[in-house]
Amino acid sequence: MKLKTTTISYFIPFLLLTAGCGEHKESVQAETAIKVTTEIVTAYNGLITTSYSGVVEEKNNTHLSFFSAGTITEILIKEGQQVRKGDLIARLDAASTSNAYKIALLQEQKAQDAYNRLKPMNENGSLPPIKMVEAETGLNQAKANTEIAKKNVEENNLYATSNGTIGKIYFTQGMNTGPGITVLDLLEISTVYVKIPVPEDEISSLKQNTKASVTIPAISKKIIGEVKEISVTADLLSHSYPVKIEINNIDLLIKPGMVCSVTIDSESNKKGFLISGKALQKDINGNQFVYVVDDKNKANKKLVKTISLMENKVLVEGEIKEDDLIIVSGQEKLKPQVSVNIIQ
């Protein structure tokens, strides 16, 4: 009986020690679990609105220049001024060309007088035919020189080639210019374009004449426009495609360079899952992913792909499902299969 009593007395402390170690192990595991907050994934099936940032551009920009070289004596317009087709915009110093035109007129008058004197003699047969040919040739040549000189005088004037608004003026009075050198820009802004960059994975969903809502904060204006141009060439750096949306600007309040926001509604329903943007992360390969908490309170990496931004949520598709618990904060230190402690 003494031996049996001793065995039991040693066994009881051992059980107490083992139980204490088990409790300590569970406490350590609870302390090492990373604290996170989560949200529930919700499914979505409906129309989506995609947002872009854009910049206003003129519909057309004509670079006006003189046909001849010279010194600018007058600039008759200002930046932002409205002009009509045919309006005189600027002049060059016309002294040399005007003198050349006067000389050409005198030469033409001289040739005409010689022709008029020789014509009766030719009709009477008292003039050798070669002399009459020389007179006619001289007169025609003088007339051609006069036309050239007159054209040179006219080219000292710069006229508006169409109705529009004067853009940037690159020269001032007294500066020298030459043929083909842009003196100023003539802009067509009664209709303008809003240029937006569209990512390559969204460009296929856009079609010409699709309606777009354009908001311009600078003038507190919201306008409905239409997609008119979709580029087939992508930007090499951003991998986005330039798209132009046409909007009316009858009152000319919208100016080139104004920043605006654009929203375009999808033409068909999109399926996916709505999650917080704070849950999205990228791995070293550039893949988007989120952490999902399983029934053992462990974090699991799930790949996703963004479809669109929807107000304060992101519509995604991928390896998640409805009612999943995704981690929205505390994931900075997470790795797959790491234990987490969900806090409210």
Side-chain angles (χ1 to χ4, degrees):
M1 289 298 293
K2 285 185 179 181
L3 181 60
K4 188 178 295 186
T5 304
T6 303
T7 302
I8 293 173
S9 63
Y10 279 109
F11 183 66
I12 292 173
F14 176 75
L15 289 176
L16 293 174
L17 180 61
T18 303
C21 289
E23 291 176 359
H24 177 70
K25 184 177 180 180
E26 291 177 359
S27 175
V28 170
Q29 287 180 343
E31 290 176 0
T32 56
I34 297 176
K35 294 181 179 180
V36 298
T37 58
T38 61
E39 70 173 23
I40 298 175
V41 174
T42 57
Y44 181 83
N45 182 11
L47 297 176
I48 63 172
T49 299
T50 309
S51 299
Y52 305 95
S53 293
V55 178
V56 176
E57 291 185 349
E58 64 278 358
K59 186 175 182 179
N60 187 41
N61 184 356
T62 304
H63 306 295
L64 298 184
S65 60
F66 288 100
F67 287 99
S68 57
T71 302
I72 298 175
T73 57
E74 285 184 287
I75 294 181
L76 305 173
I77 42 76
K78 297 179 180 180
E79 291 185 1
Q81 182 176 331
Q82 305 300 310
V83 296
R84 300 187 66 81
K85 183 178 180 179
D87 285 353
L88 181 61
I89 291 177
R91 289 193 181 100
L92 289 179
D93 183 3
S96 60
T97 53
S98 294
N99 290 334
Y101 178 53
K102 290 177 182 179
I103 293 172
L105 282 175
L106 292 174
Q107 293 293 337
E108 182 182 349
Q109 291 173 5
K110 180 180 178 180
Q112 185 70 54
D113 181 65
Y115 176 81
N116 293 338
R117 289 176 182 272
L118 294 175
K119 186 176 180 182
M121 298 173 63
N122 179 62
E123 292 174 351
N124 294 333
S126 60
L127 183 71
I130 186 64
K131 293 296 184 180
M132 193 62 198
V133 171
E134 289 177 355
E136 289 178 346
T137 303
L139 178 58
N140 291 332
Q141 185 176 359
K143 287 182 177 180
N145 290 336
T146 302
E147 289 297 321
I148 293 173
K150 181 180 179 181
K151 185 174 184 295
N152 289 337
V153 172
E154 292 173 349
E155 287 177 351
N156 288 323
N157 296 330
L158 186 61
Y159 298 94
T161 56
S162 62
N163 298 342
T165 304
I166 301 299
K168 185 172 181 58
I169 301 175
Y170 301 96
F171 285 79
T172 58
Q173 183 176 337
M175 296 179 67
N176 294 324
T177 185
I181 299 176
T182 300
V183 175
L184 55 89
D185 294 332
L186 179 60
L187 309 179
E188 167 55 52
I189 60 171
S190 59
T191 300
V192 294
Y193 287 130
V194 174
K195 186 177 181 181
I196 59 173
V198 178
E200 57 185 3
D201 57 349
E202 297 176 13
I203 194 66
S204 60
S205 63
L206 281 185
K207 302 292 185 292
Q208 284 193 339
N209 301 322
T210 299
K211 299 294 183 181
S213 177
V214 179
T215 302
I216 306 173
I219 57 175
S220 301
K221 197 168 187 177
K222 187 174 182 179
I223 312 167
I224 301 299
E226 290 185 350
V227 174
K228 288 298 180 183
E229 295 183 16
I230 302 175
S231 177
V232 296
T233 305
D235 183 274
L236 294 178
L237 297 178
S238 64
H239 298 286
S240 62
Y241 290 81
V243 172
K244 290 185 178 181
I245 299 165
E246 185 179 78
I247 56 177
N248 290 325
N249 186 29
I250 303 301
D251 52 10
L252 304 180
L253 292 177
I254 305 172
K255 310 296 184 185
M258 286 185 172
V259 177
C260 49
S261 59
V262 178
T263 56
I264 300 177
D265 293 331
S266 64
E267 296 181 351
S268 59
N269 287 357
K270 299 289 184 180
K271 293 183 179 181
F273 302 97
L274 291 175
I275 64 172
S276 170
K278 295 183 292 183
L280 285 173
Q281 297 190 80
K282 277 191 176 182
D283 59 23
I284 58 175
N285 297 318
N287 298 317
Q288 287 185 315
F289 71 93
V290 296
Y291 280 114
V292 176
V293 180
D294 62 18
D295 54 1
K296 297 180 181 179
N297 273 9
K298 292 186 179 295
N300 294 279
K301 178 181 176 181
K302 300 291 184 180
L303 296 179
V304 295
K305 182 180 179 182
T306 297
I307 298 175
S308 177
L309 301 179
M310 300 185 65
E311 296 182 355
N312 60 340
K313 294 288 185 177
V314 181
L315 183 65
V316 301
E317 59 184 2
E319 299 176 346
I320 60 176
K321 62 183 184 296
E322 188 175 7
D323 295 330
D324 274 349
L325 272 181
I326 60 169
I327 297 174
V328 295
S329 68
Q331 66 268 56
E332 295 81 8
K333 298 180 181 180
L334 285 181
K335 294 181 180 179
Q337 293 301 306
V338 169
S339 297
V340 297
N341 180 22
I342 301 173
I343 58 175
Q344 299 297 327

